[in-house]
Amino acid sequence: MINMEKQPVFNVEPKLVNPNADDSAKRLMTYLCDIYGSRILTGQQIGVESTPELDIIYEVTGKYPAVYGFDFMNYSPSRTERGATCSDTVIAIDWWKSGGIVTFCWHWNAPKDLIDLPPDRTWGSGFYTKATTFDVQKAMDDQESEEFQLLIRDIDAIAEQLKRLQNAGVPVLWRPLHEASGGWFWWGAKGPEPCVQLWKLMYDRMTNVHKLGHLIWVWNGQHADWYPGDEYVDIIGEDIYPPAKNYESQQERFQSALSYTKMNKIIALSENGPIPDPDLMLRDNALWAWNCTWYGTFVYVTEQGRRQYSSEYTEREQLVKFYNHPLSLSKDEVPDLLTYKLRE
């Protein structure tokens, strides 16, 4: 354990934006606030289907990540109607029951108007701007439009999956509409205004219509113009993909994230390629709440039919250092969040 006095920026009150948040979310948020600025939770994203990242990380480090990242992508109605299936909800429930922490993103396949031209504009890449003509501005400008009604349909479909998690007692670090300011996803293709409106629509519908109280809202728009406001955001995430084997702390991006808000918010490294060096994070005071390494080639390669750790992005020795560093928390070090003490 690293003993260090918290600087003021890391003193975050565990008050969630949803006034009706349930105890599971409150306990997780309290834990995150308690450790913020003194520990970082290790994390890993799952692949679209069952992938071997966790087993490979364990083989190399002897530890499992504390946070596991999932994706509602294949629950999108425009994918399920084309035969897509998904088991991430079930895997996430099992992960929580085994003592881990759950985060979900949503590569939201456009509700309609998929271009569907191989090889790189198919329906399977319908979350990308290049693969759909769906107009989020048109949808948000006209609540009577088919486009708007399809947004509601899709939000409701994902709310059903979130209800399954809520019913199982699983709090979720919920990160929708990610990387919007990049413009490569359709929800960010028309600029900040319709995307911010969509965030507020989703928040309102999931919170007030579907009564989802187990969500901790992680905003990941990556630019101040896209920030929906402190009353809609619990945690700010940054997705950062530096060059291979670059282990810098990403201090500038940490500071940028702090500038989006007028109050203290937890800042997380919600996606990463190479993992920042914990000693550099300490040196630069860029103490991310958790990291979530992306899947696939960021972790492993397949050679002669066998999957094994790849040092292309984060070298083996660096991964071992990260998972065994006093700053880092792995799954076995996460306390029982079913009984974690709430603050008075």
Side-chain angles (χ1 to χ4, degrees):
M1 178 73 179
I2 294 177
N3 293 313
M4 50 192 285
E5 185 177 347
K6 275 194 180 185
Q7 298 190 28
V9 70
F10 297 112
N11 288 322
V12 179
E13 291 298 317
K15 183 179 179 180
L16 294 164
V17 292
N18 179 3
N20 298 312
D22 67 23
D23 280 353
S24 73
K26 290 177 181 177
R27 292 183 196 283
L28 176 55
M29 187 64 175
T30 301
Y31 173 60
L32 294 175
C33 290
D34 285 350
I35 65 171
Y36 185 49
S38 60
R39 309 298 295 274
I40 178 174
L41 292 161
T42 55
Q44 178 61 52
Q45 182 73 22
I46 193 174
V48 176
E49 298 178 5
S50 181
T51 50
E53 287 86 357
L54 292 196
D55 291 338
I56 289 171
I57 288 169
Y58 185 80
E59 286 175 13
V60 174
T61 68
K63 295 178 179 291
Y64 289 109
V67 178
Y68 203 3
F70 301 90
D71 195 334
F72 285 127
M73 179 173 71
N74 276 341
Y75 294 108
S76 302
S78 69
R79 296 176 79 89
T80 59
E81 67 189 16
R82 289 168 167 82
T85 59
C86 192
S87 56
D88 279 33
T89 300
V90 174
I91 299 170
I93 291 170
D94 289 344
W95 179 254
W96 168 256
K97 287 180 177 178
S98 72
I101 295 170
V102 170
T103 182
F104 264 93
C105 66
W106 179 19
H107 281 87
W108 185 351
N109 230 59
K112 69 166 196 166
D113 299 330
L114 302 175
I115 292 172
D116 210 9
L117 285 177
D120 61 351
R121 301 169 76 191
T122 64
W123 68 263
S125 56
F127 41 86
Y128 284 125
T129 300
K130 67 182 181 181
T132 180
T133 59
F134 185 82
D135 190 334
V136 65
Q137 179 76 68
K138 179 181 178 183
M140 299 311 299
D141 283 349
D142 182 3
Q143 295 192 8
E144 301 301 319
S145 67
E146 180 190 11
E147 285 80 3
F148 183 84
Q149 296 305 319
L150 287 172
L151 291 178
I152 296 294
R153 177 202 67 177
D154 286 13
I155 291 170
D156 289 352
I158 300 309
E160 289 305 309
Q161 297 303 318
L162 288 167
K163 283 177 187 176
R164 293 173 66 191
L165 292 155
Q166 181 169 252
N167 291 339
V170 183
V172 176
L173 298 168
W174 173 224
R175 187 175 65 100
L177 306 183
H178 65 292
E179 300 177 11
S181 63
W184 43 78
F185 298 132
W186 62 261
W187 52 85
K190 299 295 181 177
E193 184 178 353
C195 187
V196 169
Q197 291 174 331
L198 182 57
W199 178 278
K200 293 178 179 179
L201 171 70
M202 183 184 296
Y203 174 84
D204 178 68
R205 192 153 186 91
M206 288 188 167
T207 302
N208 299 316
V209 177
H210 292 287
K211 309 297 184 184
L212 298 175
H214 66 311
L215 304 181
I216 297 175
W217 288 79
V218 182
W219 176 82
N220 180 214
Q222 314 224 118
H223 192 285
D225 291 349
W226 302 67
Y227 191 62
D230 287 338
E231 67 272 30
Y232 291 97
V233 174
D234 292 308
I235 291 173
I236 295 170
E238 290 286 293
D239 294 358
I240 307 176
Y241 289 88
K245 302 174 185 175
N246 179 326
Y247 308 129
E248 290 298 313
S249 68
Q250 307 302 326
Q251 179 188 37
E252 289 185 6
R253 291 287 295 274
F254 189 90
Q255 292 298 321
S256 291
L258 289 173
S259 73
Y260 302 147
T261 171
K262 295 184 174 70
M263 60 192 296
N264 282 0
K265 297 273 189 185
I266 287 176
I267 310 298
L269 183 57
S270 42
E271 287 182 26
N272 62 274
I275 302 173
D277 188 298
D279 289 327
L280 298 182
M281 286 190 269
L282 285 164
R283 182 198 70 187
D284 297 339
N285 211 31
L287 297 169
W288 306 93
W290 72 84
N291 84 294
C292 197
T293 305
W294 205 243
Y295 64 90
T297 55
F298 290 102
V299 180
Y300 72 92
V301 291
T302 303
E303 294 181 352
Q304 297 180 335
R306 182 178 181 274
R307 292 166 167 175
Q308 57 190 29
Y309 185 74
S310 169
S311 288
E312 180 180 355
Y313 291 94
T314 300
E315 293 160 291
R316 177 182 289 263
E317 296 77 11
Q318 190 68 20
L319 185 76
V320 171
K321 175 182 178 179
F322 177 64
Y323 269 85
N324 290 278
H325 195 278
L327 180 68
S328 303
L329 286 165
S330 50
K331 184 186 179 190
D332 59 295
E333 298 174 281
V334 175
D336 181 0
L337 295 175
L338 295 174
T339 59
Y340 196 81
K341 184 175 176 58
L342 296 171
R343 295 188 193 176
E344 297 296 331

